[in-house]
Amino acid sequence: MEKLHHDIKALIIDVLNLEDITPEDIDTQAPLFGDGLGLDSIDALELGLAIKNQYGIVLSSESEETKKAFYSVATLADLISSQQ
């Protein structure tokens, strides 16, 4: 699971072009939006598309499960691992 956490962090950095940040800088349990990493709705769309392409998981923006999964790196990893 640790490798998946690292891979998700690297994907976030790559897809969202976050400069001056490394996977180690992202707290696995911290919120991705708001006070945490500070992502916004456009970032969520880009990240959702990247996760779909990378892991073959179809995400619905209307789904409550998807909204909960995008809380943190840990919750995204749980969703990805449960669907593989």
Side-chain angles (χ1 to χ4, degrees), residues 32-48:
L32 295 173
F33 301 89
D35 293 337
L37 196 53
L39 304 183
D40 62 24
S41 59
I42 301 299
D43 296 330
L45 291 171
E46 291 180 18
L47 185 55

Side-chain angles (χ1 to χ4, degrees), residues 4 7-8 11 50-57 80 83-84:
L4 183 56
D7 291 348
I8 292 170
L11 184 68
I51 288 171
K52 177 184 174 189
N53 292 337
Q54 180 82 21
Y55 298 101
I57 295 172
I80 292 168
Q83 303 234 350
Q84 290 187 329

Side-chain angles (χ1 to χ4, degrees), residues 1-10 12 23 26-33 37 39 47 51 68-80:
M1 192 65 115
E2 197 65 35
K3 180 180 179 345
L4 183 56
H5 288 170
H6 184 275
D7 291 348
I8 292 170
K9 291 174 185 181
I12 290 169
I26 300 174
D27 183 345
T28 303
Q29 303 298 330
L32 295 173
F33 301 89
L37 196 53
L39 304 183
L47 185 55
I51 288 171
K68 289 178 182 177
F70 270 73
Y71 176 75
S72 69
V73 170
T75 55
L76 272 175
D78 289 342
L79 175 71
I80 292 168

